[in-house]
Amino acid sequence: MKKFEDLDRIMTDKTRIFKKVRENWQKDRKMVLWDDRLSIWMSTKGTDLTRARKISVEDIEEVSLGTHSDIVWEKAKKKIAFQSDQAFTISFKLATRMAPLYLIAEDSQTARAWVEGLSRIRDRVSRMTSRQRHTWWLWEKFKAADKDGNGTLTKSEVKSFFNSINLSMNPANFEKLFKKYDDNKSNSLSWGNVKELYEELLIPNEVRNLYYQIAGEDETLQLCEFREFLEKYQFHKNLTDEKLKEMVRVFEPTATESNLEDPNFEIGLYGFAMYIRSAKVIDDSSYEKMQDMSRPMTDYWIASSHNTYLLDDQLTGPSSTEAYKSALLKGCRCVELDCWDGANGEPIIYHGWTRTSKISFKDVITTVRQYAFKKSDYPVCLSLENHCHIPQQQKMAKYMVEILGDLLLRAPVDPDEDCLPSPEAMKGKIWIKGKKLKEAAGDSKKNKAENDDFVVDDEVSEEDEGEGYAQGKDRDSPVGNGSIPAAEEAGNQKKQKKTKKIKLHKDLSDLVIYTQSRHLKDFDDAQQNSDYRHISSIDDKVCSSYAKNQSKIDSSNYNPIPVWAYGCQIVALNYQTACEEMLINQARFKQNQGAGYVLKPEFLREDALRNNNFDINDTSTFPRSQPFSYKIKIISGCQLPKPKQSNKGEVVDPYVKIRVVGPPVDDNPKNSRTTKFIDNNGFSPCWNEEFTLTTWFPELSMLEILVYDKDVGTKDDKLANSYLPMDSIVPGYRQIPLFDKEGGSLYPATLFFHIEISE
């Protein structure tokens, strides 16, 4: 086993180049262990580390050496030459929703160093308390500022240290602070000096004032007073003596088993500040609690992906089985397969009529089998967009039966059922969503075409329903005729929509048990002629007017909350797109242990809808007579990041925007507020601004929190975000965790809020 110093030297070497491998490409990247020893930086374009992505070591689940039995490595071996001991895989915790990294090092020594080094760091981090993590983070910042490595910081090095933690200070205050901690008059600060200085800076005035307010006239916070604060202001319920002592032991440095028996034990200012930093705005139990999974499938929102096969945009981007793996590991339970005829009789998947690359249908089904239940045991839906002719449809059915085996649902769960089965009853199963032949009612000739092919009465596919039928193109071919005049094309389109039939092979049809696709004419027709087995696809533009004719060719997303509010179970988003809408989706499906299914509010479930006339746009039908009020005081921030998480550049001028994101009745200008900006202080900006927001539907709406850097003459940089399900927010003095645009943690960056909730 190597010494950690040797591993560290290799992992911090910025000259080493790695081959990042995906299923259909391999590209050179640089990767280094960053100065804080808590994160990796990997270049996102070529080998330029100035354009890099930060990856937290805490997010790593496993680091493994070698290629193992993985489809990505199997394909890589056929395309490039490398030794197995040069290859390693970094897998991430499921909650991060990050796809694995497949990497090839320049040599086996580098690969082994990274595997062993990351494993050691990960193990060390997992055992750290919050205080220890902070100390380690600070130590790495200290070492980075100590340019000559002599263990002390000169004035200029202290200024660099301040800049790295986003702290600006006027010269007079800096001189005063430096002099205070330069206890041996050496014109430099030791590690101990810097640690004490930092702890003073870490306790902002607002926390200091709160401490003395609770402590009272004697200015000492006793254990009994702290208990009262927790119960009265932090809304702790059932706080036993043992639970109280357990909490205090975590953050109060002077706490011991014996002195905690004294009810007058004093909690210091530093210990109280550490507690405040740990006061979460959403209790972990709200994510860890498992919901009732025994209700019909229609009573759940289902995490769903649109154009799952794409890694990038929908016109020219690459398709890959890795995209399916990534979506499934992010908790997605419904993935889309856009199926077309391929060469040599092999069906393929890609975005038809575009220049996106093509992947094998068989490879996708193999990937689905391998990763369907890594994240969650609850059922997975394969949503088929079938553009194939009969022979390749039969091959599709053959591959699904052979590869998925017992995982594939082949018959109803209960022959006597009159509603969809529950996620619990379908656990461990993969079911198919797609077109199905009508059952022959004594007149089989009506359903058969020549050569025993079958036709479906529905004229269009689900994709066509959403995006306009075929747009003048031959439905059975991905090649359009661009020479048709616009007027004639529109006429042909109209004619096609009335007359086109879809041929469907019986073998493929037989695999569709539930979610049988039906064209939605109108809701009255659906009520009369559809049953629980049927499903209709509705484009986001049709579903509600908020989309306002947005095109989806750029892989953009729409806000899923209004669509959930209208009752849709499957709201498909582009998982490959890093955007606010996906962050909302992630926040919603983080609930229920990340199972990919979230139980709808009671007023949106089938039983309730049968007995009421609920309308999301009509307040008289709402389940409550008044909205909830959220009085939010944005107190301060701590260690906010710089744009693109840089360690360089000017100190930021931050401000905060908060907004209720939800159905139209909640998502309005009155529910959007912005603080003033603070000059040159990203370390501990203080706003102390109070706003009141309201929501009729905390079960549906999210609190959106965005942090910006005020710029002059250019667009303000977005520094961080947080999306909080409003029904999970815990009132009191709370820390708001902050995330980057992909949902990655920006620890130790936080905001400090006080929240009051009333109805």
Side-chain angles (χ1 to χ4, degrees):
M1 183 177 290
K2 291 181 178 292
K3 292 182 179 179
F4 189 75
E5 290 77 10
D6 296 334
L7 303 177
D8 189 76
R9 176 180 51 78
I10 293 173
M11 296 169 72
T12 55
D13 185 347
K14 297 180 181 179
T15 67
R16 295 176 189 262
I17 295 175
F18 298 82
K19 188 78 72 177
K20 181 181 177 182
V21 177
R22 284 189 173 173
E23 188 180 340
N24 294 316
W25 57 259
Q26 306 84 37
K27 295 182 179 180
D28 287 345
R29 294 287 186 262
K30 278 189 178 177
M31 182 173 71
V32 295
L33 183 66
W34 208 241
D35 296 339
D36 60 5
R37 302 308 191 271
L38 290 172
S39 56
I40 302 166
W41 284 75
M42 171 173 276
S43 59
T44 55
K45 296 287 184 182
T47 57
D48 181 4
L49 280 172
T50 64
R51 304 176 67 182
R53 174 190 180 193
K54 179 184 177 184
I55 301 170
S56 172
V57 172
E58 280 191 289
D59 290 337
I60 295 174
E61 178 69 31
E62 181 184 20
V63 189
S64 56
L65 188 67
T67 55
H68 309 292
S69 56
D70 189 291
I71 193 168
V72 174
W73 284 126
E74 289 173 6
K75 292 200 169 187
K77 290 175 186 176
K78 298 176 182 178
K79 296 178 180 179
I80 50 178
F82 64 96
Q83 298 298 316
S84 181
D85 59 4
Q86 290 176 254
F88 62 104
T89 305
I90 303 175
S91 302
F92 299 95
K93 294 176 181 176
L94 295 173
T96 67
R97 301 171 176 269
M98 294 169 62
L101 284 174
Y102 300 92
L103 300 164
I104 301 173
E106 294 174 329
D107 52 59
S108 60
Q109 180 188 26
T110 302
R112 291 182 185 279
W114 272 90
V115 171
E116 187 174 339
L118 283 179
S119 298
R120 285 200 202 180
I121 297 171
R122 200 177 123 264
D123 184 58
R124 186 187 303 177
V125 170
S126 68
R127 297 196 303 267
M128 281 184 174
T129 64
S130 178
R131 195 183 337 149
Q132 287 172 327
R133 287 186 62 210
H134 232 90
T135 301
W136 189 15
W137 174 85
L138 189 69
W139 169 242
E140 297 303 335
K141 293 290 185 183
F142 178 89
K143 287 198 298 182
D146 183 15
K147 299 301 183 184
D148 57 12
N150 68 352
T152 62
L153 301 186
T154 63
K155 281 187 179 181
S156 63
E157 289 174 333
V158 172
K159 289 178 181 178
S160 296
F161 168 77
F162 279 0
N163 189 270
S164 73
I165 62 175
N166 222 344
L167 174 62
S168 178
M169 190 175 295
N170 67 50
N173 286 342
F174 175 82
E175 290 294 335
K176 182 179 178 181
L177 194 66
F178 189 91
K179 185 176 180 180
K180 176 180 177 180
Y181 286 97
D182 183 14
D183 49 17
N184 61 3
K185 312 302 179 187
S186 63
N187 211 31
S188 64
L189 300 184
S190 67
W191 161 240
N193 298 145
V194 169
K195 188 178 176 184
E196 290 176 9
L197 176 153
Y198 174 80
E199 288 175 0
E200 176 180 327
L201 294 173
L202 190 64
I203 305 174
N205 287 333
E206 54 272 16
V207 174
R208 193 182 304 272
N209 294 340
L210 179 61
Y211 175 84
Y212 290 121
Q213 177 187 334
I214 300 166
E217 293 182 359
D218 62 359
E219 296 189 347
T220 59
L221 182 61
Q222 297 175 338
L223 195 61
C224 56
E225 293 171 320
F226 183 61
R227 175 194 281 275
E228 182 181 1
F229 168 74
L230 292 176
E231 293 176 336
K232 186 175 181 179
Y233 296 99
Q234 298 296 86
F235 300 91
H236 274 271
K237 298 177 181 178
N238 305 317
L239 188 60
T240 64
D241 289 344
E242 190 52 45
K243 178 63 177 176
L244 177 64
K245 293 173 185 176
E246 182 183 330
M247 290 176 63
V248 174
R249 278 194 293 266
V250 170
F251 57 77
E252 174 52 53
T254 64
T256 64
E257 291 293 335
S258 58
N259 61 23
L260 282 176
E261 297 299 325
D262 180 359
N264 296 320
F265 171 76
E266 295 178 5
I267 296 168
L269 176 58
Y270 178 77
F272 179 74
M274 291 300 100
Y275 160 73
I276 288 295
R277 282 193 61 82
S278 70
K280 296 180 179 180
V281 68
I282 294 183
D283 194 278
D284 289 339
S285 62
S286 69
Y287 293 133
E288 295 166 358
K289 181 182 178 182
M290 200 68 200
Q291 298 172 345
D292 177 8
M293 299 296 281
S294 64
R295 302 188 62 82
M297 196 86 72
T298 45
D299 280 351
Y300 300 84
W301 292 314
I302 304 173
S304 308
S305 166
H306 177 252
N307 289 350
T308 314
Y309 43 88
L310 291 176
L311 290 169
D312 207 331
D313 75 83
Q314 300 187 41
L315 288 179
T316 60
S319 305
S320 173
T321 59
E322 190 174 334
Y324 285 91
K325 178 162 85 174
S326 175
L328 291 167
L329 290 176
K330 289 176 180 177
C332 184
R333 297 289 86 189
C334 180
V335 295
E336 184 181 42
L337 289 75
D338 204 345
C339 309
W340 298 85
D341 288 334
N344 303 316
E346 291 293 330
I348 57 173
I349 290 175
Y350 88 114
H351 201 213
W353 304 305
T354 69
R355 295 194 300 275
T356 57
S357 61
K358 303 169 178 65
I359 52 176
S360 157
F361 178 87
K362 183 179 180 181
D363 286 349
V364 169
I365 299 302
T366 300
T367 300
V368 168
R369 177 179 176 88
Q370 187 174 359
Y371 291 96
F373 303 110
K374 293 271 188 183
K375 164 67 175 173
S376 167
D377 291 333
Y378 288 96
V380 169
C381 173
L382 303 187
S383 178
L384 299 185
E385 290 294 344
N386 174 24
H387 304 270
C388 292
H389 286 85
I390 290 295
Q392 294 201 21
Q393 288 183 26
Q394 187 176 25
K395 188 162 283 188
M396 287 165 57
K398 176 176 179 287
Y399 285 148
M400 286 191 286
V401 170
E402 290 179 351
I403 295 170
L404 299 179
D406 292 342
L407 299 180
L408 182 63
L409 186 75
R410 303 286 300 278
V413 172
D414 180 355
D416 299 323
E417 64 196 9
D418 59 2
C419 65
L420 284 177
S422 68
E424 189 67 35
M426 294 257 288
K427 217 170 182 180
K429 289 293 184 181
I430 297 171
W431 91 91
I432 309 301
K433 171 179 172 284
K435 299 290 184 183
K436 189 172 180 69
L437 296 167
K438 287 188 175 181
E439 295 179 4
D443 187 7
S444 60
K445 292 181 181 179
K446 204 169 184 179
N447 289 316
K448 282 196 175 186
E450 56 184 330
N451 300 324
D452 288 331
D453 294 341
F454 289 76
V455 295
V456 181
D457 286 344
D458 288 343
E459 293 87 354
V460 296
S461 77
E462 298 144 69
E463 187 83 3
D464 297 329
E465 287 172 11
E467 297 185 4
Y469 176 63
Q471 300 183 7
K473 300 177 178 68
D474 179 357
R475 175 142 191 338
D476 291 327
S477 170
V479 181
N481 185 348
S483 63
I484 300 176
E488 183 181 346
E489 185 174 11
N492 289 347
Q493 177 178 333
K494 186 174 181 181
K495 184 177 179 181
Q496 274 191 325
K497 191 167 184 177
K498 287 183 177 179
T499 61
K500 188 67 181 178
K501 301 289 185 178
I502 302 169
K503 291 185 177 182
L504 184 63
H505 197 283
K506 186 176 184 299
D507 288 358
L508 189 59
S509 170
D510 287 347
L511 298 183
V512 181
I513 310 302
Y514 304 117
T515 55
Q516 303 169 13
S517 298
R518 286 286 182 94
H519 176 57
L520 180 66
K521 296 177 181 177
D522 56 56
F523 288 104
D524 290 337
D525 175 75
Q527 283 188 321
Q528 294 175 14
N529 299 312
S530 294
D531 63 28
Y532 68 92
R533 296 167 298 177
H534 299 145
I535 190 169
S536 296
S537 295
I538 309 174
D539 182 85
D540 59 290
K541 298 185 289 292
V542 176
C543 188
S544 66
S545 61
Y546 73 88
K548 296 182 179 178
N549 298 320
Q550 284 185 346
S551 172
K552 297 185 67 178
I553 61 172
D554 60 353
S555 292
S556 62
N557 276 316
Y558 50 91
N559 181 2
I561 296 179
V563 194
W564 287 328
Y566 287 124
C568 294
Q569 291 84 40
I570 297 176
V571 180
L573 299 184
N574 296 290
Y575 270 56
Q576 73 272 24
T577 304
C579 59
E580 293 169 1
E581 293 80 8
M582 266 307 297
L583 295 172
I584 290 170
N585 195 69
Q586 289 175 15
R588 175 63 65 208
F589 287 105
K590 189 176 179 181
Q591 296 175 306
N592 202 24
Q593 294 186 11
Y597 290 80
V598 171
L599 188 61
K600 293 179 183 177
E602 190 170 350
F603 57 83
L604 283 179
R605 298 177 203 165
E606 271 198 49
D607 292 346
L609 291 173
R610 287 195 190 101
N611 301 313
N612 65 34
N613 60 341
F614 174 73
D615 182 348
I616 194 68
N617 298 308
D618 182 356
T619 56
S620 68
T621 68
F622 289 0
R624 54 187 60 93
S625 59
Q626 295 291 330
F628 284 88
S629 172
Y630 285 68
K631 185 184 289 185
I632 300 172
K633 186 175 185 180
I634 302 175
I635 301 173
S636 62
C638 182
Q639 295 168 267
L640 302 180
K642 294 184 180 183
K644 300 181 181 178
Q645 303 169 48
S646 172
N647 281 332
K648 300 179 180 179
E650 296 180 353
V651 173
V652 298
D653 309 314
Y655 65 93
V656 180
K657 283 186 175 183
I658 59 172
R659 177 171 75 105
V660 176
V661 182
V665 70
D666 285 348
D667 199 339
N668 59 69
K670 292 181 180 179
N671 273 335
S672 180
R673 296 288 187 271
T674 304
T675 69
K676 61 181 178 291
F677 71 88
I678 306 298
D679 280 320
N680 288 330
N681 191 349
F683 182 80
S684 57
C686 182
W687 294 279
N688 274 323
E689 295 188 51
E690 189 169 278
F691 307 103
T692 298
L693 309 180
T694 61
T695 172
W696 285 91
F697 295 104
E699 308 94 331
L700 297 172
S701 295
M702 299 266 180
L703 179 62
E704 175 187 73
I705 303 167
L706 305 176
V707 184
Y708 287 89
D709 175 25
K710 184 68 176 177
D711 289 325
V712 178
T714 60
K715 185 178 179 181
D716 294 350
D717 291 307
K718 187 186 294 182
L719 303 178
N721 70 77
S722 194
Y723 287 87
L724 308 175
M726 295 192 76
D727 62 343
S728 298
I729 291 174
V730 182
Y733 292 93
R734 299 293 165 190
Q735 294 292 327
I736 313 298
L738 296 176
F739 303 90
D740 63 22
K741 67 177 183 179
E742 294 180 338
S745 173
L746 291 176
Y747 181 88
T750 56
L751 296 176
F752 183 37
F753 282 16
H754 181 258
I755 302 171
E756 296 179 24
I757 304 174
S758 59
E759 186 174 6

